[in-house]
Amino acid sequence: MHRELAGRLIDPHTMARLTALADLDPALVLDDFTTPEARAALADAEVIVSSWGCPPIDEEVLAAAPRLSAVIHAAGSVKHHVTEACWRRGVQVTSAAWANALPVAEYTVAVVLLANKRLLPIREEYRRRRAPYDWQLAYAAAGNYRRTVGIVGASRIGRRVMELLRPHDLDLLLHDPYVDPAEAARLGARSVEMDELCAASDVVSVHAPELPATRHLIDGRRLALMRDGATLVNTSRGSLVDQEALVREAASGRLDAVIDVTEPEVLPADSPLYELPNVFLTPHVAGSLGGELHRMAAAAADELARYTAGHPFAHPVLAEDEHRTA
């Protein structure tokens, strides 16, 4: 993992648990598997506890780690470091993606509810008017009662978002090619095709994985299907939305947007998304931030406890699911 991350990720209580469960050196944090220090550690390693910034665990690394049998990832996606070589070796893999999903879902639910309340346009209009005004008349269609929210992807985050939105008297639509209508109904949503979801929703929230098939899933045509005044929320990956098309729609004032992920990850300084009053832009912070990092480290400690006791992981990552997960 990134060397500077360990101190922020692992609180003292969790570090004490980790060192009690296994022969673990708290000072040994690797971001390069090719150094003499790394080679010496790999020679005896049975488990790698990883997080963001972990280098790929490829054939060369595995050759240097003959005893390696498990990777416990204290973050979300494992695609950047768990390679085909790991799956061929039969390395067990677990991820704290479920723990990282919780704050993303909380962020999403907060902005969905505020979007239906028309927070962005009301803020701008109040800032401009600075005087009494009939807000009820001007925003007669605002509010969350019986509004329609479209969820794109029944991922961990998508499912948690639907669960948290259920008490709010909203109509939920879901598009996910792996979820049939009966399962969607159990999740509290109605299964629809992507175009219908875009056209019918007051808020469209994106929770699909980043795959070749999902690049620009929300393209210019689908943005054009969204009703005037609708809001697009993206906390997934920037590549799922055609950003140029979104800029055009937002600049016209027709759509609002809440964007936590972009392509590239940090936008150029002259991007209109920084300045548009109907765009709420954040720097990929919907996931674990600050003290929320400790939840993922605690999840990793829980999985290490299961491993050392000879129990299966509670949150395994399986090779066959790679094609449809983030």
Side-chain angles (χ1 to χ4, degrees), residues 18 20 32 41 44 47 52 67 87-88 116 131 138 181 192 196 242 255 265 280 286 288 315 326:
L18 288 168
D32 182 349
D44 294 324
V47 177
W52 294 301
R67 300 182 59 209
W87 301 122
R88 288 195 298 270
N116 278 330
V192 297
E196 181 181 349
D242 182 338
L255 297 180
E265 180 69 14
F280 186 85
S288 297
H315 302 280

Side-chain angles (χ1 to χ4, degrees), residues 5-21:
L5 175 62
R8 287 179 278 150
L9 179 71
I10 307 174
D11 61 279
H13 172 74
T14 299
M15 182 60 78
R17 285 191 64 204
L18 288 168
T19 54
L21 287 165

Side-chain angles (χ1 to χ4, degrees), residues 35 89 128 143 164 185 192-193 244 254 296 299 316:
T35 66
R89 160 90 65 101
R128 185 176 66 253
L164 293 175
V192 297
E193 292 300 317
E244 291 185 8
R254 201 180 71 79
M296 293 191 297

